[in-house]
mmCIF file of all heavy atoms in Angstrom:
data_model
loop_
_atom_site.group_PDB
_atom_site.id
_atom_site.type_symbol
_atom_site.label_atom_id
_atom_site.label_comp_id
_atom_site.label_asym_id
_atom_site.label_seq_id
_atom_site.Cartn_x
_atom_site.Cartn_y
_atom_site.Cartn_z
ATOM 1 N N VAL A 215 -105.166 -122.986 -110.564
ATOM 2 C CA VAL A 215 -103.929 -122.596 -111.375
ATOM 3 C C VAL A 215 -103.855 -123.403 -112.582
ATOM 4 O O VAL A 215 -103.612 -124.551 -112.410
ATOM 5 C CB VAL A 215 -102.682 -122.640 -110.428
ATOM 6 C CG1 VAL A 215 -101.470 -122.277 -111.277
ATOM 7 C CG2 VAL A 215 -102.861 -121.658 -109.202
ATOM 8 N N ASN A 216 -104.039 -122.754 -113.701
ATOM 9 C CA ASN A 216 -103.677 -123.491 -114.911
ATOM 10 C C ASN A 216 -102.242 -123.134 -115.271
ATOM 11 O O ASN A 216 -102.011 -121.886 -115.426
ATOM 12 C CB ASN A 216 -104.679 -123.004 -116.084
ATOM 13 C CG ASN A 216 -104.306 -123.650 -117.320
ATOM 14 O OD1 ASN A 216 -103.251 -124.040 -117.654
ATOM 15 N ND2 ASN A 216 -105.425 -123.943 -118.127
ATOM 16 N N GLU A 217 -101.358 -124.027 -115.246
ATOM 17 C CA GLU A 217 -99.938 -123.827 -115.351
ATOM 18 C C GLU A 217 -99.583 -123.387 -116.627
ATOM 19 O O GLU A 217 -98.383 -122.874 -116.968
ATOM 20 C CB GLU A 217 -99.160 -125.010 -114.845
ATOM 21 C CG GLU A 217 -99.376 -125.283 -113.399
ATOM 22 C CD GLU A 217 -98.811 -126.628 -112.947
ATOM 23 O OE1 GLU A 217 -98.302 -127.372 -113.807
ATOM 24 O OE2 GLU A 217 -98.827 -126.789 -111.746
ATOM 25 N N GLY A 218 -100.351 -123.347 -117.657
ATOM 26 C CA GLY A 218 -100.094 -122.810 -119.022
ATOM 27 C C GLY A 218 -99.294 -123.782 -119.949
ATOM 28 O O GLY A 218 -98.190 -124.129 -119.628
ATOM 29 N N ALA A 219 -99.813 -124.187 -121.134
ATOM 30 C CA ALA A 219 -99.172 -125.116 -121.881
ATOM 31 C C ALA A 219 -98.149 -124.457 -122.784
ATOM 32 O O ALA A 219 -97.173 -124.955 -123.142
ATOM 33 C CB ALA A 219 -100.109 -125.825 -122.825
ATOM 34 N N SER A 220 -98.223 -123.172 -122.887
ATOM 35 C CA SER A 220 -97.230 -122.351 -123.677
ATOM 36 C C SER A 220 -97.083 -122.991 -125.123
ATOM 37 O O SER A 220 -98.055 -123.293 -125.714
ATOM 38 C CB SER A 220 -95.922 -122.251 -123.030
ATOM 39 O OG SER A 220 -94.993 -121.490 -123.733
ATOM 40 N N SER A 221 -96.034 -123.316 -125.548
ATOM 41 C CA SER A 221 -95.736 -123.960 -126.882
ATOM 42 C C SER A 221 -95.879 -125.561 -126.798
ATOM 43 O O SER A 221 -95.557 -126.233 -127.675
ATOM 44 C CB SER A 221 -94.341 -123.458 -127.423
ATOM 45 O OG SER A 221 -93.363 -123.992 -126.559
ATOM 46 N N VAL A 222 -96.204 -125.976 -125.586
ATOM 47 C CA VAL A 222 -96.238 -127.425 -125.345
ATOM 48 C C VAL A 222 -97.426 -128.023 -125.990
ATOM 49 O O VAL A 222 -98.568 -127.576 -125.720
ATOM 50 C CB VAL A 222 -96.274 -127.645 -123.842
ATOM 51 C CG1 VAL A 222 -96.282 -129.146 -123.547
ATOM 52 C CG2 VAL A 222 -95.089 -127.001 -123.111
ATOM 53 N N GLY A 223 -97.303 -129.083 -126.759
ATOM 54 C CA GLY A 223 -98.425 -129.715 -127.362
ATOM 55 C C GLY A 223 -99.107 -130.723 -126.299
ATOM 56 O O GLY A 223 -98.646 -130.883 -125.225
ATOM 57 N N ALA A 224 -100.230 -131.226 -126.772
ATOM 58 C CA ALA A 224 -100.985 -132.245 -125.932
ATOM 59 C C ALA A 224 -101.480 -133.386 -126.634
ATOM 60 O O ALA A 224 -101.972 -133.226 -127.752
ATOM 61 C CB ALA A 224 -102.079 -131.506 -125.180
ATOM 62 N N ILE A 225 -101.282 -134.592 -126.175
ATOM 63 C CA ILE A 225 -101.690 -135.802 -126.796
ATOM 64 C C ILE A 225 -102.471 -136.567 -125.786
ATOM 65 O O ILE A 225 -101.933 -136.974 -124.728
ATOM 66 C CB ILE A 225 -100.490 -136.745 -127.371
ATOM 67 C CG1 ILE A 225 -99.665 -135.721 -128.290
ATOM 68 C CG2 ILE A 225 -100.990 -137.962 -128.065
ATOM 69 C CD1 ILE A 225 -98.392 -136.513 -128.693
ATOM 70 N N GLN A 226 -103.813 -136.835 -126.118
ATOM 71 C CA GLN A 226 -104.549 -137.711 -125.207
ATOM 72 C C GLN A 226 -104.258 -139.173 -125.439
ATOM 73 O O GLN A 226 -104.132 -139.690 -126.609
ATOM 74 C CB GLN A 226 -106.082 -137.491 -125.393
ATOM 75 C CG GLN A 226 -106.905 -138.148 -124.433
ATOM 76 C CD GLN A 226 -108.323 -137.915 -124.364
ATOM 77 O OE1 GLN A 226 -108.802 -137.089 -125.306
ATOM 78 N NE2 GLN A 226 -109.093 -138.487 -123.581
ATOM 79 N N ILE A 227 -104.068 -140.011 -124.334
ATOM 80 C CA ILE A 227 -103.755 -141.322 -124.442
ATOM 81 C C ILE A 227 -105.055 -142.159 -124.759
ATOM 82 O O ILE A 227 -106.058 -141.916 -124.054
ATOM 83 C CB ILE A 227 -103.112 -141.914 -123.123
ATOM 84 C CG1 ILE A 227 -101.921 -141.150 -122.761
ATOM 85 C CG2 ILE A 227 -102.851 -143.419 -123.261
ATOM 86 C CD1 ILE A 227 -101.275 -141.484 -121.565
ATOM 87 N N PRO A 228 -105.061 -142.929 -125.806
ATOM 88 C CA PRO A 228 -106.298 -143.744 -126.098
ATOM 89 C C PRO A 228 -106.715 -144.574 -124.934
ATOM 90 O O PRO A 228 -105.955 -145.122 -124.235
ATOM 91 C CB PRO A 228 -105.904 -144.552 -127.279
ATOM 92 C CG PRO A 228 -104.661 -143.824 -127.906
ATOM 93 C CD PRO A 228 -103.948 -143.153 -126.735
ATOM 94 N N GLY A 229 -107.966 -144.544 -124.656
ATOM 95 C CA GLY A 229 -108.548 -145.367 -123.642
ATOM 96 C C GLY A 229 -108.611 -144.749 -122.245
ATOM 97 O O GLY A 229 -109.014 -145.385 -121.293
ATOM 98 N N THR A 230 -108.190 -143.479 -122.113
ATOM 99 C CA THR A 230 -108.200 -142.816 -120.849
ATOM 100 C C THR A 230 -109.340 -141.769 -120.678
ATOM 101 O O THR A 230 -109.780 -141.320 -121.795
ATOM 102 C CB THR A 230 -106.856 -142.162 -120.516
ATOM 103 O OG1 THR A 230 -106.659 -141.123 -121.578
ATOM 104 C CG2 THR A 230 -105.716 -143.064 -120.544
ATOM 105 N N PRO A 231 -109.864 -141.513 -119.452
ATOM 106 C CA PRO A 231 -111.094 -140.662 -119.381
ATOM 107 C C PRO A 231 -110.606 -139.164 -119.602
ATOM 108 O O PRO A 231 -109.415 -138.808 -119.676
ATOM 109 C CB PRO A 231 -111.442 -140.880 -117.950
ATOM 110 C CG PRO A 231 -110.159 -141.187 -117.296
ATOM 111 C CD PRO A 231 -109.402 -142.061 -118.223
ATOM 112 N N SER A 232 -111.660 -138.313 -119.804
ATOM 113 C CA SER A 232 -111.484 -136.830 -119.992
ATOM 114 C C SER A 232 -111.733 -136.137 -118.802
ATOM 115 O O SER A 232 -111.735 -134.900 -118.971
ATOM 116 C CB SER A 232 -112.316 -136.373 -121.149
ATOM 117 O OG SER A 232 -113.636 -136.622 -121.010
ATOM 118 N N GLY A 233 -111.986 -136.741 -117.685
ATOM 119 C CA GLY A 233 -112.277 -136.154 -116.450
ATOM 120 C C GLY A 233 -111.207 -136.213 -115.384
ATOM 121 O O GLY A 233 -110.082 -136.818 -115.638
ATOM 122 N N PRO A 234 -111.387 -135.607 -114.275
ATOM 123 C CA PRO A 234 -110.339 -135.674 -113.156
ATOM 124 C C PRO A 234 -110.105 -137.016 -112.737
ATOM 125 O O PRO A 234 -111.002 -137.922 -112.769
ATOM 126 C CB PRO A 234 -111.042 -134.757 -112.030
ATOM 127 C CG PRO A 234 -112.004 -133.946 -112.744
ATOM 128 C CD PRO A 234 -112.516 -134.710 -113.839
ATOM 129 N N ASP A 235 -108.923 -137.262 -112.103
ATOM 130 C CA ASP A 235 -108.532 -138.702 -111.602
ATOM 131 C C ASP A 235 -108.017 -138.570 -110.192
ATOM 132 O O ASP A 235 -106.866 -138.296 -109.946
ATOM 133 C CB ASP A 235 -107.461 -139.118 -112.428
ATOM 134 C CG ASP A 235 -107.152 -140.640 -112.369
ATOM 135 O OD1 ASP A 235 -107.732 -141.202 -111.371
ATOM 136 O OD2 ASP A 235 -106.322 -141.248 -112.939
ATOM 137 N N ALA A 236 -109.074 -138.662 -109.277
ATOM 138 C CA ALA A 236 -108.689 -138.458 -107.858
ATOM 139 C C ALA A 236 -107.558 -139.280 -107.288
ATOM 140 O O ALA A 236 -106.861 -138.960 -106.338
ATOM 141 C CB ALA A 236 -109.828 -138.598 -107.031
ATOM 142 N N GLY A 237 -107.266 -140.495 -107.739
ATOM 143 C CA GLY A 237 -106.321 -141.354 -107.113
ATOM 144 C C GLY A 237 -104.959 -141.431 -107.716
ATOM 145 O O GLY A 237 -104.193 -142.121 -107.341
ATOM 146 N N SER A 238 -104.629 -140.617 -108.740
ATOM 147 C CA SER A 238 -103.389 -140.669 -109.404
ATOM 148 C C SER A 238 -102.196 -140.478 -108.641
ATOM 149 O O SER A 238 -102.126 -139.512 -107.608
ATOM 150 C CB SER A 238 -103.346 -139.621 -110.582
ATOM 151 O OG SER A 238 -101.980 -139.639 -111.211
ATOM 152 N N TRP A 239 -101.133 -141.173 -108.812
ATOM 153 C CA TRP A 239 -99.903 -141.021 -108.001
ATOM 154 C C TRP A 239 -99.155 -139.761 -108.352
ATOM 155 O O TRP A 239 -98.245 -139.307 -107.520
ATOM 156 C CB TRP A 239 -99.031 -142.260 -108.166
ATOM 157 C CG TRP A 239 -97.781 -142.249 -109.036
ATOM 158 C CD1 TRP A 239 -96.466 -142.040 -108.601
ATOM 159 C CD2 TRP A 239 -97.722 -142.171 -110.459
ATOM 160 N NE1 TRP A 239 -95.660 -142.098 -109.703
ATOM 161 C CE2 TRP A 239 -96.468 -142.148 -110.869
ATOM 162 C CE3 TRP A 239 -98.767 -142.297 -111.474
ATOM 163 C CZ2 TRP A 239 -96.086 -142.202 -112.233
ATOM 164 C CZ3 TRP A 239 -98.369 -142.323 -112.801
ATOM 165 C CH2 TRP A 239 -97.032 -142.316 -113.198
ATOM 166 N N MET A 240 -99.515 -139.059 -109.416
ATOM 167 C CA MET A 240 -98.782 -137.830 -109.811
ATOM 168 C C MET A 240 -99.570 -136.611 -109.480
ATOM 169 O O MET A 240 -99.196 -135.560 -110.061
ATOM 170 C CB MET A 240 -98.321 -137.900 -111.287
ATOM 171 C CG MET A 240 -97.276 -138.958 -111.586
ATOM 172 S SD MET A 240 -95.752 -138.782 -110.596
ATOM 173 C CE MET A 240 -95.233 -137.127 -111.191
ATOM 174 N N LEU A 241 -100.631 -136.701 -108.806
ATOM 175 C CA LEU A 241 -101.331 -135.379 -108.387
ATOM 176 C C LEU A 241 -100.265 -134.492 -107.577
ATOM 177 O O LEU A 241 -99.433 -135.043 -106.818
ATOM 178 C CB LEU A 241 -102.440 -135.796 -107.436
ATOM 179 C CG LEU A 241 -103.688 -136.329 -108.136
ATOM 180 C CD1 LEU A 241 -104.770 -136.859 -107.183
ATOM 181 C CD2 LEU A 241 -104.395 -135.276 -109.191
ATOM 182 N N SER A 242 -100.531 -133.197 -107.652
ATOM 183 C CA SER A 242 -99.570 -132.324 -107.087
ATOM 184 C C SER A 242 -99.467 -132.350 -105.465
ATOM 185 O O SER A 242 -98.429 -132.283 -104.873
ATOM 186 C CB SER A 242 -99.980 -130.852 -107.399
ATOM 187 O OG SER A 242 -99.931 -130.707 -108.766
ATOM 188 N N CYS A 243 -100.630 -132.607 -104.850
ATOM 189 C CA CYS A 243 -100.597 -132.582 -103.436
ATOM 190 C C CYS A 243 -101.309 -133.980 -102.873
ATOM 191 O O CYS A 243 -102.026 -134.597 -103.518
ATOM 192 C CB CYS A 243 -101.518 -131.490 -102.976
ATOM 193 S SG CYS A 243 -100.890 -129.851 -103.186
ATOM 194 N N ILE A 244 -100.870 -134.369 -101.731
ATOM 195 C CA ILE A 244 -101.311 -135.604 -101.120
ATOM 196 C C ILE A 244 -101.698 -135.380 -99.710
ATOM 197 O O ILE A 244 -101.114 -134.459 -98.977
ATOM 198 C CB ILE A 244 -100.184 -136.754 -101.163
ATOM 199 C CG1 ILE A 244 -100.632 -138.055 -100.580
ATOM 200 C CG2 ILE A 244 -98.988 -136.166 -100.484
ATOM 201 C CD1 ILE A 244 -99.686 -139.130 -100.761
#
Side-chain angles (χ1 to χ4, degrees):
V215 177
N216 183 323
E217 293 171 353
S220 184
S221 59
V222 180
I225 303 172
Q226 184 173 3
I227 302 175
T230 59
S232 59
D235 188 1
S238 175
W239 101 107
M240 289 306 296
L241 287 171
S242 300
C243 293
I244 184 172

